Amino acid sequence: MNYENILVETRGEGARKTGVIRLNRPKALNALSDPLMDELGHALKAFDADPGIGCIVLTGSEKAFAAGADIPTLLQHDFLSAFNSQLISKNWEHILAVRKPVIGAVAGFCLGGGCELAMMCDVLYAADNAKFGQPEIKLGVIPGGGGTQRLPRWVGKSKAMDMLLTGRFMDAAEAERAGLVARVIPAEQLLEEAFKAAETINGYSAPVVALMKQLTNQAFEVPLTEGVKIERGMFHAVFGTHDQREGMNAFLEKRPANWKHG
Ligand code: CAA
């Protein structure tokens, strides 16, 4: 597939590298058009399938991660065409099928569908100029990419309502206080820090990383007791791997582990 709305590259020195995807529609502040979302889904799937890739960094520009769904495209729809074309669904949730960690590195505007896409990443790092918001109410609509569902889970009901009902933006410091992002980083160091975290993750056992991601995301889907039971079963299962013995032996022998990813 030829990419026209995203830039894709591979980073890192180790055996497992980082797949980097940059949203790249600068004239529309990376508004998430259908072609862009098709390309994003394709690139995510390709990195996920590549055994040489440990994790993925998803980012935008310094000015915008993404300013939302593409408003001119939305305006072309009525109810039936929105319903029949599966607007904001058919190509929006490919990211949720990715088994490798996706680190969202957010600078500038992260609004509407942009914020919804960011919330589908596994970890979020924000540049100090990042601005988050669900301003759909100003357009006479509600969010369609999970904003009313994920935002309250991430920042709590009161702050989510405040943002959804007023359409106001939240800066990076507030996003960190609210638990929406893991860290705030000076804008010029954002990618470097995201790549560093990715390198660290790339250095661990791949199935353990994948399980960690799956179980942590599952915490938002299943009741607590059930989730802990599933975790316990998986914990027992990792004792069937080479990497469990290798990790623990390496610790006792005071040497780096030599993972076989199995
Ligand atoms: N879709 C398409 N184009 C967009 C866009 C979007 N979501 N957001 C910005 N653009 C375009 C603007 O139209 C403008 O294009 P032109 O230069 O051709 O006029 C260009 O990007 C730059 O934007 P501004 O001139 O507005 O830049 P600014 O710095 O003055 O303001 C902004 C930046 C505050 C982000 C403002 O552009 C804005 O409010 N954008 C819309 C944000 C929004 O409402 N997002 C929600 C979309 S609906 C949605 O996402 C539904 C869903 O749940 C999936």
Side-chain angles (χ1 to χ4, degrees):
M1 187 176 203
N2 272 340
Y3 297 137
E4 291 178 0
N5 299 282
I6 61 172
L7 301 171
V8 171
E9 60 172 314
T10 299
R11 284 270 175 152
E13 305 301 325
R16 287 162 64 78
K17 304 200 179 336
T18 302
V20 185
I21 303 175
R22 291 170 206 256
L23 308 176
N24 187 40
R25 276 189 82 204
K27 287 188 181 142
L29 298 180
N30 293 337
L32 303 169
S33 61
D34 263 337
L36 185 152
M37 293 310 278
D38 288 340
E39 291 175 18
L40 175 61
H42 186 276
L44 286 167
K45 207 170 170 187
F47 278 143
D48 204 29
D50 181 346
I53 296 292
C55 63
I56 299 166
V57 170
L58 176 61
T59 191
S61 68
E62 269 185 34
K63 190 155 185 219
F65 178 75
D70 189 60
I71 296 171
T73 309
L74 297 182
L75 193 53
Q76 291 166 13
H77 285 279
D78 58 15
F79 166 72
L80 263 191
S81 71
F83 181 77
N84 288 334
S85 66
Q86 299 178 57
L87 186 63
I88 316 292
S89 54
K90 71 172 190 304
N91 54 4
W92 271 67
E93 295 190 337
H94 294 311
I95 190 167
L96 298 177
V98 174
R99 298 176 73 188
K100 295 171 183 171
V102 180
I103 299 174
V106 174
F109 295 110
C110 183
L111 306 175
C115 189
E116 292 170 309
L117 177 64
M119 287 190 286
M120 287 188 251
C121 294
D122 299 304
V123 188
L124 282 184
Y125 297 148
D128 49 12
N129 73 341
K131 284 192 169 45
F132 298 85
Q134 297 288 163
E136 286 87 346
I137 200 157
K138 296 180 184 170
L139 300 172
V141 292
I142 60 170
T148 62
Q149 302 306 296
R150 288 197 179 89
L151 197 59
R153 284 167 166 82
W154 270 224
V155 306
K157 174 179 160 180
S158 187
K159 196 178 280 289
M161 283 285 190
D162 179 35
M163 294 182 65
L164 289 158
L165 291 174
T166 67
R168 78 172 177 90
F169 300 165
M170 176 157 83
D171 67 19
E174 185 181 359
E176 187 184 24
R177 282 198 306 277
L180 180 62
V181 305
R183 298 189 219 165
V184 179
I185 295 164
E188 61 284 1
Q189 291 161 25
L190 175 70
L191 282 180
E192 200 187 308
E193 288 299 316
F195 294 152
K196 253 194 240 169
E199 282 278 296
T200 301
I201 297 166
N202 293 343
Y204 295 128
S205 165
V208 171
V209 167
L211 268 182
M212 198 79 82
K213 163 173 170 152
Q214 184 187 315
L215 290 166
T216 308
N217 283 328
Q218 173 199 265
F220 294 90
E221 310 281 347
V222 303
L224 177 61
T225 321
E226 197 56 31
V228 172
K229 254 193 235 161
I230 299 171
E231 184 202 75
R232 190 77 28 81
M234 293 298 184
F235 175 69
H236 294 158
V238 293
F239 283 74
T241 64
H242 162 276
D243 287 351
Q244 173 265 333
R245 287 184 300 281
E246 171 60 14
M248 293 184 180
N249 279 321
F251 172 79
L252 293 176
E253 291 161 17
K254 302 187 192 309
R255 61 171 175 81
N258 182 16
W259 309 120
K260 285 199 174 151
H261 305 296

